[in-house]
């Protein structure tokens, strides 16, 4: 029988922290040992998230300094960017870490500094970090001590694009990603741009030509090209948009195909890769994936369509940004690291209506 893992969630007062707690409460082999939120230390978790008032077993919030890491097997780090590097450096080496920030996603530390504006302070740890796109790297993840959980937008884009690039079916240097996300992607800290009146009744682009997920997406696509023996020439035009909804990501991805390749061939390739995957579904018919089709679940749903322009196809990929785009994939990776069945605790069906 599997041994229960004692888990600490660092930075539990944000949306990804709350989603982790919701998911971990359903996991039969997890015990939540510590929840941290420095500014709310001493309060019950339900004081910060009242929906957990019924969960009497949850520990009260404490500061990170008060966590007894000798009593913890796995740490989920839901901390602000640049904070996790400092924290993980001080953890005992036997503690497994699933990092939901961007601190260890970019393998090149100079690229990290360029996009995040701060020098990397855990360069040696970066060398051992495994990028945790589960369906692509599960073998390496299972052996990892430190897993860099992917960003939400990169998850939804890389899952369809990586197999197509590996098979040489699309042009690597002509990929356009038009992405839409709910406001939870911006975090829980109050800010003007996510106030109700700023978001409702409208849609706006942000991070135009400068969003930090662009180099993360390109890193994954270029790794796929190199694995296939091709030069790392992938570049993406990536523009995210903020939608007046709480959760969900929809990406419309425009690709130029190689000669003689159409949507049917792209879909056939994706189905061959993902048919046995629990959490990735490539639709058979002409249904256009919608965010409501995955809400509250760890699923990614994909479909591919011929463009009216010859030699081009349109891919639509949807995930829940808080689940497959964050906390759900983090638990999926924990399951691999701890030797549990991959879908354990995260097999819930989407919530609709």
């Amino acid at each position: 029988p599997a041994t229960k893992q004692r888990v600490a969630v660092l930075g539990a007062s944000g949306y990804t922290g709350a989603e982790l707690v919701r998911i971990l409460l359903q996991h039969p082999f997890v015990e939540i040992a510590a929840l941290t939120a420095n500014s709310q230390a001493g309060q019950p978790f339900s004081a910060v998230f009242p929906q957990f008032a019924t969960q009497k077993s949850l520990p009260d919030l404490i500061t990170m300094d008060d966590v007894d890491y000798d009593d913890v097997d796995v740490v989920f780090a839901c901390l602000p960017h640049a904070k996790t590097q400092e924290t993980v450096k001080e953890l005992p080496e036997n503690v497994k870490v699933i990092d939901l920030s961007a601190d260890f996603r970019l393998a090149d530390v100079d690229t990290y500094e360029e996009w995040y504006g701060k020098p990397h302070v855990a360069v040696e740890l970066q060398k051992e970090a495994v990028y945790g796109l589960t369906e692509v790297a599960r073998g390496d993840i299972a052996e990892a001590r430190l897993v860099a959980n992917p960003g939400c937008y990169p998850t939804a884009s890389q899952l369809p694009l990586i197999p197509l690039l590996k098979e040489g079916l699309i042009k690597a240097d002509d990929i356009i990603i038009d992405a839409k996300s709910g406001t939870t992607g911006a975090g829980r800290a109050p800010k003007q741009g996510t106030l109700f009146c700023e978001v409702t009744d409208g849609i706006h682009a942000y991070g135009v030509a400068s969003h930090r997920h662009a180099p993360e997406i390109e890193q994954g696509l270029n790794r796929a090209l190199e694995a296939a023996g091709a030069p790392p020439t992938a570049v993406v035009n990536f523009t995210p948009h903020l939608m007046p909804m709480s959760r969900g990501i929809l990406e419309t991805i425009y690709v130029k195909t190689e000669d003689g390749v159409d949507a049917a061939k792209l879909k056939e390739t994706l189905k061959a890769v993902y048919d046995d995957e629990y959490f990735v579904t490539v639709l058979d018919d002409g249904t256009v994936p919608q965010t409501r089709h995955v809400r509250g679940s760890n699923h990614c749903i994909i479909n591919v369509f011929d463009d009216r322009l010859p030699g081009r196809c349109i891919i639509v990929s949807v995930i829940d940004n808080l689940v497959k785009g964050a906390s759900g994939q983090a638990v999926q990776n924990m399951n691999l690291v701890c030797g549990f069945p991959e879908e354990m605790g995260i097999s819930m069906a989407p919530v609709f209506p």
Side-chain angles (χ1 to χ4, degrees):
T3 303
K4 275 205 172 190
Q5 298 293 294
R6 290 180 59 78
V7 165
V9 180
L10 310 184
S13 60
Y15 291 133
T16 55
E19 196 72 350
L20 262 174
V21 171
R22 179 180 78 89
I23 293 168
L24 292 172
L25 283 168
Q26 304 173 68
H27 199 294
F29 291 109
V30 163
E31 181 180 345
I32 299 175
L35 299 171
T36 82
N38 286 359
S39 59
Q40 286 114 343
Q43 299 184 47
F45 192 59
S46 59
V48 178
F49 288 107
Q51 70 267 33
F52 293 104
T54 57
Q55 305 301 316
K56 309 300 184 185
S57 64
L58 288 175
D60 289 346
L61 292 163
I62 57 176
T63 69
M64 286 202 297
D65 290 340
D66 288 332
V67 178
D68 179 5
Y69 291 105
D70 292 332
D71 194 37
V72 169
D73 301 301
V74 180
V75 161
F76 290 95
C78 308
L79 301 169
H81 302 317
K83 184 67 176 174
T84 308
Q85 292 167 5
E86 301 170 4
T87 303
V88 174
K89 280 200 306 186
E90 306 303 323
L91 294 181
E93 289 191 6
N94 62 302
V95 175
K96 308 286 189 180
V97 179
I98 315 293
D99 177 27
L100 283 80
S101 81
D103 275 16
F104 294 98
R105 292 177 190 159
L106 297 176
D108 184 85
V109 294
D110 293 330
T111 303
Y112 173 85
E113 182 173 356
E114 175 188 348
W115 284 87
Y116 287 88
K118 296 180 179 179
H120 202 296
V121 299
V123 176
E124 290 305 310
L125 273 175
Q126 181 63 61
K127 294 174 184 175
E128 69 172 90
V130 173
Y131 185 73
L133 189 60
T134 319
E135 284 75 15
V136 172
R138 56 168 53 92
D140 291 334
I141 294 166
E143 302 298 322
R145 182 217 163 197
L146 169 59
V147 178
N149 216 57
C152 48
Y153 290 125
T155 295
S157 58
Q158 290 179 92
L159 285 172
L161 289 173
I162 283 175
L164 304 181
L165 286 170
K166 279 186 173 179
E167 293 298 319
L169 299 176
I170 60 175
K171 304 283 189 184
D173 60 353
D174 193 353
I175 299 170
I176 300 168
I177 303 172
D178 180 315
K180 314 285 196 298
S181 176
T183 59
T184 50
R188 201 184 190 203
K191 50 183 85 75
Q192 180 178 315
T194 53
L195 293 171
F196 179 82
C197 292
E198 305 287 334
V199 176
T200 195
D201 296 329
I203 171 178
H204 65 270
Y206 67 99
V208 177
S210 63
H211 197 281
R212 292 163 168 175
H213 283 177
E216 182 182 339
I217 295 169
E218 290 176 350
Q219 171 183 267
L221 302 187
N222 282 316
R223 283 176 173 171
L225 287 168
E226 289 178 315
T233 55
V235 288
V236 297
N237 291 108
F238 169 68
T239 306
H241 303 74
L242 196 64
M243 301 297 292
M245 60 187 188
S246 60
R247 59 165 83 205
I249 279 179
L250 184 146
E251 295 188 12
T252 310
I253 304 171
Y254 304 90
V255 296
K256 189 172 184 179
T257 59
E258 297 290 355
D259 291 345
V261 175
D262 59 7
K265 177 60 177 175
L266 299 187
K267 189 186 292 195
E268 174 190 325
T269 301
L270 290 174
K271 287 187 73 65
V273 171
Y274 291 126
D275 255 3
D276 293 330
E277 291 288 349
Y278 192 90
F279 293 116
V280 182
T281 300
V282 182
L283 298 178
D284 288 313
D285 57 12
T287 301
V288 181
Q290 302 178 25
T291 57
R292 71 192 69 188
H293 298 162
V294 294
R295 180 183 175 93
S297 80
N298 197 53
H299 292 278
C300 174
I301 297 180
I302 300 165
N303 211 344
V304 188
F305 306 89
D306 284 309
D307 197 342
R308 66 182 184 85
L309 303 177
R312 300 197 72 93
C313 287
I314 301 166
I315 303 165
V316 180
S317 176
V318 295
I319 62 170
D320 186 317
N321 61 295
L322 289 179
V323 192
K324 185 58 174 170
S327 304
Q329 187 156 231
V331 174
Q332 192 177 355
N333 286 328
M334 180 208 72
N335 282 338
L336 283 174
V337 168
C338 296
F340 299 140
E342 200 172 299
E343 67 276 9
M344 184 172 280
I346 45 174
S347 59
M348 56 277 188
V351 178
F352 177 80

